[in-house]
Amino acid sequence: MEKTLYTLIVYSENIAGLLNQITAVFTRRQINIESLNVSASSIKGVHKYTITAWIDEENIKKIVSQIEKKIDVLQAHYFTDDEIFSHEIALYKLSTPVLEKDPRVSALIRRYNARVVEVNPTYSALEKDGATEDIISLHDELQKLGCVLQFVRSGRIALTKSCVERVNEFLADREARYLQHKNEKA
Amino acid sequence: MKELITGAEALMRSLEHQGVKTLFGYPGGSIMPVFDALYDHRSTLHHILVRHEQGATHAAQGFARTSGQVGVCLVTSGPGATNTITGIADAMIDSTPIVVIAGQVGTAFLGSDAFQEVDLVGITQPISKWSYQIRRAEDVPYAVARAFYIAASGRPGPVVLDFAKNAQVEKIEYEPLSIDFVRSYVPVPDTDSMSVIRAAEYINKAKKPLVLAGQGVELGGAQDELRRFIEKAQLPVGCTLLGLSVLSSEHPLNMGMLGMHGNLATNVKTNECDVLIAVGMRFDDRVTGNLATYARQAKVIHFDIDPSEINKNVKADVAVLGDCKQTLRAVTELLVPTDHKEWIASFEPYRRKEMEKVIEPEIHPAAGPLNMGEVVRAVSEAAHHEAVLVTDVGQNQMMSARYFKYTRNRSIVTSGGLGTMGFGLPAAVGATFAVPDRTVCVFMGDGGLQMNLQELGTVMEQKAPVKMILLNNNYLGNVRQWQAMFFHRRYSFTPMLNPDYMKIAEAYGIPSRRVIDRADLHAAIAEMLTTDGPFFLEACVVEEGNVLPMTPPGNSVDEMLLEC
Ligand SMILES: Cc1ncc(C[n+]2csc(CCOP(=O)(O)OP(=O)(O)O)c2C)c(N)n1
Ligand SMILES: [Mg+2]
């Protein structure tokens, strides 16, 4: 089956050890994680995981249901690129002598709209944000000119384009049903 | 001021609050405060000292599987905890509710490679439903309440509590706590009413329906609902290994067992039916054989409580999520009574063929040494088909599952998903505490018995009324059969040199008898069943017997071998 770069968004309770449990779902099925970002979400006590992987649709569905099955996971959903706003940032450490000698390096930096954040006689540091493909292709071109000392990507972060906030709805629904269940018992 | 108690005492009260009456365990350094507290609760919390922590987990599984309640284990840190791993993994794959409470070094020592420290939460996360470290005494009521709720609700499973030693001795004010809500956890998914309607439509239109009943029916307590469902529309049923007792073996619609060593008719008909109705089963590869050719012609309806089972192995045309006690009822209401006479009659030639080629020669051999199947059937009959069957793993397991008969709910305890040799004896011990009014028979091989042989000590001490039947073929028979069939009879390390089991039984003070001749079989079984308390019966069976029929690995379900 055809592989797509899917973005998985997972919301969970803030509990130690959950990252392990989520990544284990991928490793067990021999699927490589392309990028992974974990941060607090806008809901107090809830963490958000943004994960990308090249995978086919049948398998991403299985992965999502296996992740959602974890007791402390609230929700997991998968998205294609047209369903999300996504962003990524990268840092590049370049050799200053090469940069000064070869004018093609500066041309690339301008063409890709990267920002120079530090220059000293030994190295220069660049910062670039935007789409993953641009970040990678700038790296590949700089690499060809032989000036890259270090390179790092932040991993993708993403927001859904949908007008519905599914986690908020899920939590509200869970609380409402619990209260109803308690009242019925009382 | 309120009374202050230790975390260990809080654990005792929390267990009592959960209604626990029986636990299986083994003490050690990091759990000593808990065992000390237990000393004062001996009259309410009946603790059974096993002889190995693996035995504690399987005993808890046997207890849970026969009673429907949560089985509880209490062990120390390090090796005590790692000895429970097999049982936890077994309970996970077979959806058995157990709670394993293990000691842990004090939080100040965590991560320092302290004496008997292992990262139990890290080790058990992938093989448990939930795993949690109790670091403070005040977390005890919450952790225990959550553990029992998670273990028992929805699709059941094992829960691990890793209890740091400092939390066992710190003092807190105790307040009993119950939990029946965890916001991130949906134990029973909503049922889509459209799925109920569509399932009924498919079944009403079906000319050749086949129901596959699994352990989910037993776990959901939906045996009666299943019966009404199949009787209303006359739907023939095949049962999975773990689901064998969800429908009486004598029920006219029960067509037998599914899977690699199941019955011929149910397997062949799987690839002939037009609507396949799976209830609380997970299409394990031992059931489906080659997936690429499995029931391709059929519309598939899948009833399950676990959404992650839907489309995992077999694509469902209709998924009926929810508790099968409710969903079966809802679908049954919409069914049109039918008889499917011809379809049901079409199972008969296959049943007869298997009877003639396999079953009759197995249970009524003309001469030669005892067969496993004849011993099993004779025990089942002598116990009026009302006993609980516990099995070990191997040929003895398949033979006892096939030839035992089931007339009561929750009557089979076997290690299905993990196939754990050594499961049988401790699981049977656990079952005797769960259902003291029932006869518990465990069938074991000479290999598997020796994997947890030490539990004879538990049987002795507890006078646990386990009827132990050793089907001794002097081989790791199951592996030997595969070597015969697929490895040119090269019996690489499968002959088993056995000890004198009568002397072993005698050493433990357990009444015993060895049967070699067919003529002695019935009297020996009668002696076993009429003797109060435990009994050890060794049946010396044919050495190179084979379990048949068989769907060799990679074959389609309708390509079963009747001989080999
Ligand atoms: C712990 C464990 N180790 C190994 C196996 C592989 N295995 C499956 S069946 C079997 C042979 C069992 O021999 P025995 O207990 O004598 O039973 P028999 O098949 O002869 O009835 C073996 C080794 C297993 N299932 N479990
Ligand atoms: Mg054997």
Side-chain angles (χ1 to χ4, degrees):
Chain A
M1 263 223 268
E2 206 189 324
K3 292 193 175 173
T4 311
L5 183 70
Y6 283 106
T7 302
L8 219 95
I9 298 181
V10 181
Y11 288 94
S12 81
E13 301 292 4
N14 177 15
I15 281 182
L18 212 67
L19 177 60
N20 249 336
Q21 293 189 60
I22 290 172
T23 55
V25 173
F26 286 83
T27 39
R28 236 185 116 184
R29 289 189 165 265
Q30 301 174 63
I31 291 158
N32 285 330
I33 290 176
E34 186 72 23
S35 76
L36 168 73
N37 175 284
V38 190
S39 76
S41 75
S42 62
I43 306 162
K44 193 161 171 275
V46 173
H47 269 209
K48 175 171 175 172
Y49 297 70
T50 312
I51 304 166
T52 62
W54 285 96
I55 183 173
D56 60 56
E57 184 157 23
E58 192 180 324
N59 274 307
I60 189 78
K61 282 184 180 162
K62 288 181 187 172
I63 296 251
V64 163
S65 60
Q66 292 293 338
I67 290 177
E68 209 157 59
K69 191 169 160 174
K70 304 283 169 204
I71 300 291
D72 298 304
V73 167
L74 292 159
Q75 277 200 317
H77 295 288
Y78 70 95
F79 303 92
T80 51
D81 282 356
D82 55 333
E83 296 168 318
I84 51 173
F85 300 108
S86 71
H87 218 66
E88 175 157 7
I89 185 162
L91 299 173
Y92 308 70
K93 187 173 176 185
L94 309 180
S95 146
T96 304
V98 182
L99 190 147
E100 284 174 347
K101 209 167 56 209
D102 188 340
R104 288 177 297 174
V105 177
S106 311
L108 272 179
I109 295 172
R110 277 194 304 279
R111 178 144 66 81
Y112 277 91
N113 225 348
R115 232 155 44 89
V116 179
V117 292
E118 162 81 19
V119 182
N120 65 41
T122 321
Y123 66 85
S124 306
L126 295 186
E127 182 188 288
K128 164 155 182 62
D129 57 11
T132 312
E133 306 87 77
D134 290 348
I135 285 171
I136 293 174
S137 83
L138 171 58
H139 169 259
D140 292 348
E141 296 207 38
L142 289 169
Q143 190 78 313
K144 277 186 216 144
L145 303 178
C147 61
V148 182
L149 301 172
Q150 281 183 39
F151 170 58
V152 64
R153 283 166 53 196
S154 64
R156 174 179 281 194
I157 53 173
L159 299 171
T160 58
K161 287 183 181 169
S162 151
C163 297
V164 189
E165 300 311 322
R166 285 199 260 193
V167 203
N168 301 47
E169 285 193 353
F170 171 81
L171 287 174
D173 178 59
R174 296 286 296 150
E175 300 293 343
R177 285 204 213 192
Y178 179 58
L179 290 178
Q180 190 192 344
H181 162 79
K182 245 175 47 184
N183 289 339
E184 275 167 18
K185 267 206 316 199
Chain B
M1 205 180 99
K2 275 201 69 175
E3 176 200 20
L4 285 181
I5 61 168
T6 63
E9 175 63 23
L11 175 66
M12 295 300 110
R13 295 193 194 177
S14 300
L15 291 176
E16 285 168 359
H17 180 63
Q18 288 295 330
V20 174
K21 294 193 175 62
T22 312
L23 25 152
F24 303 91
Y26 210 94
S30 302
I31 195 76
M32 283 186 67
V34 170
F35 271 84
D36 188 60
L38 182 58
Y39 201 63
D40 293 328
H41 288 258
R42 280 169 300 167
S43 57
T44 46
L45 293 171
H46 183 194
H47 175 267
I48 289 124
L49 179 72
V50 292
R51 296 300 188 264
H52 185 293
E53 291 88 349
Q54 184 186 353
T57 54
H58 295 328
Q61 288 181 274
F63 180 91
R65 292 267 284 269
T66 46
S67 68
Q69 290 158 18
V70 177
V72 186
C73 304
L74 193 58
V75 301
T76 191
S77 67
T82 54
N83 276 347
T84 66
I85 299 302
T86 305
I88 294 168
D90 195 292
M92 184 69 175
I93 199 162
D94 281 350
S95 310
T96 309
I98 62 170
V99 171
V100 175
I101 303 160
Q104 178 58 283
V105 301
T107 48
F109 297 94
L110 284 171
S112 71
D113 298 327
F115 179 64
Q116 297 193 328
E117 181 198 358
V118 295
D119 177 8
L120 186 63
V121 170
I123 294 172
T124 54
Q125 255 169 359
I127 53 165
S128 65
K129 191 169 171 187
W130 192 59
S131 177
Y132 183 77
Q133 189 169 62
I134 306 175
R135 304 194 185 107
R136 305 176 308 177
E138 65 200 76
D139 289 344
V140 169
Y142 157 84
V144 173
R146 215 170 190 249
F148 277 77
Y149 170 59
I150 290 171
S153 58
R155 179 176 180 174
V159 170
V160 176
L161 293 177
D162 190 30
F163 196 4
K165 198 164 179 181
N166 56 291
Q168 299 173 28
V169 294
E170 285 162 9
K171 297 215 161 165
I172 54 157
E173 286 180 7
Y174 174 77
E175 198 57 69
L177 180 69
S178 298
I179 287 182
D180 61 358
F181 177 73
V182 172
R183 71 171 183 175
S184 60
Y185 165 58
V186 183
V188 185
D190 289 341
T191 307
D192 175 2
S193 54
M194 265 319 289
S195 72
V196 170
I197 294 170
R198 287 186 57 216
E201 276 173 8
Y202 274 126
I203 299 170
N204 284 334
K205 271 192 258 160
K207 297 271 174 289
K208 300 188 280 181
L210 178 63
V211 175
L212 312 183
Q215 192 197 198
V217 176
E218 203 103 89
L219 294 171
Q223 300 90 345
D224 289 343
E225 284 73 10
L226 177 79
R227 207 164 32 70
R228 282 195 279 272
F229 169 70
I230 59 161
E231 284 173 356
K232 185 163 179 191
Q234 290 294 299
L235 310 168
V237 182
C239 297
T240 65
L241 174 65
L242 268 62
L244 278 173
S245 63
V246 303
L247 182 67
S248 168
S249 312
E250 314 286 1
H251 194 287
L253 289 168
N254 191 340
M255 300 297 167
M257 181 161 90
L258 297 163
M260 181 176 271
H261 291 296
N263 291 111
L264 180 65
T266 46
N267 279 309
V268 169
K269 293 293 164 178
T270 300
N271 274 6
E272 267 181 41
C273 65
D274 57 0
V275 179
L276 192 69
I277 306 143
V279 188
M281 57 83 74
R282 61 186 177 85
F283 293 107
D284 178 71
D285 58 85
R286 284 297 189 266
V287 162
T288 63
N290 187 352
L291 265 182
T293 58
Y294 182 78
R296 286 282 142 156
Q297 78 293 343
K299 292 275 181 234
V300 175
I301 304 172
H302 194 168
F303 290 76
D304 214 291
I305 200 166
D306 178 358
S308 77
E309 286 302 338
I310 306 298
N311 299 333
K312 190 184 78 178
N313 294 335
V314 170
K315 266 214 141 359
D317 295 283
V318 184
V320 188
L321 289 173
D323 176 347
C324 62
K325 199 174 173 74
Q326 261 86 52
T327 54
L328 279 175
R329 236 184 238 164
V331 174
T332 305
E333 286 213 349
L334 305 180
L335 292 187
V336 181
T338 341
D339 63 20
H340 296 299
K341 248 201 188 102
E342 263 174 54
W343 167 240
I344 290 169
S346 75
F347 284 68
E348 187 54 22
Y350 294 96
R351 203 190 59 82
R352 230 180 301 136
K353 186 165 168 193
E354 183 184 348
M355 184 62 85
E356 186 186 307
K357 287 239 155 69
V358 180
I359 299 175
E360 271 303 313
E362 180 65 33
I363 58 177
H364 296 128
L370 286 170
N371 285 337
M372 285 192 185
E374 80 177 301
V375 177
V376 173
R377 180 59 62 83
V379 171
S380 182
E381 265 164 14
H384 312 291
H385 306 307
E386 287 186 343
V388 174
L389 168 70
V390 184
T391 84
D392 208 78
V393 165
Q395 294 186 312
N396 61 88
Q397 173 184 36
M398 290 299 121
M399 287 299 201
S400 45
R402 281 177 58 81
Y403 294 105
F404 213 76
K405 289 198 174 185
Y406 314 88
T407 57
R408 295 177 62 178
N409 297 340
R410 290 187 177 273
S411 290
I412 178 161
V413 181
T414 187
S415 169
L418 205 64
T420 305
M421 281 174 72
F423 174 87
L425 181 56
V429 171
T432 61
F433 288 97
V435 285
D437 54 326
R438 298 189 65 183
T439 303
V440 176
C441 297
V442 55
F443 290 87
M444 296 168 284
D446 43 318
L449 167 62
Q450 293 183 82
M451 279 210 179
N452 273 318
L453 186 66
Q454 77 286 344
E455 297 308 328
L456 287 175
T458 314
V459 173
M460 167 185 71
E461 181 174 355
Q462 301 294 334
K463 302 186 177 61
V466 187
K467 307 303 177 188
M468 296 165 271
I469 302 106
L470 167 62
L471 299 173
N472 191 352
N473 54 8
N474 294 317
Y475 272 110
L476 299 175
N478 205 82
V479 180
R480 187 211 53 75
Q481 178 175 347
W482 283 49
Q483 288 170 335
M485 294 174 74
F486 313 120
F487 292 88
H488 308 289
R489 293 179 60 92
R490 285 154 54 88
Y491 291 168
S492 178
F493 300 97
T494 45
M496 175 63 64
L497 178 64
N498 277 305
D500 182 339
Y501 289 106
M502 295 300 100
K503 284 191 181 151
I504 289 180
E506 195 191 336
Y508 283 102
I510 297 171
S512 64
R513 186 156 164 183
R514 175 185 287 140
V515 183
I516 299 167
D517 294 326
R518 181 158 292 119
D520 303 330
L521 180 63
H522 290 273
I525 291 171
E527 184 186 346
M528 171 176 81
L529 293 177
T530 51
T531 302
D532 273 340
F535 194 93
F536 189 99
L537 178 68
E538 176 181 9
C540 300
V541 297
V542 57
E543 294 206 331
E544 297 192 36
N546 292 320
V547 185
L548 289 165
M550 176 179 191
T551 310
N555 273 32
S556 301
V557 282
D558 54 356
E559 299 171 333
M560 282 195 108
L561 305 179
L562 288 175
E563 55 207 352
C564 62

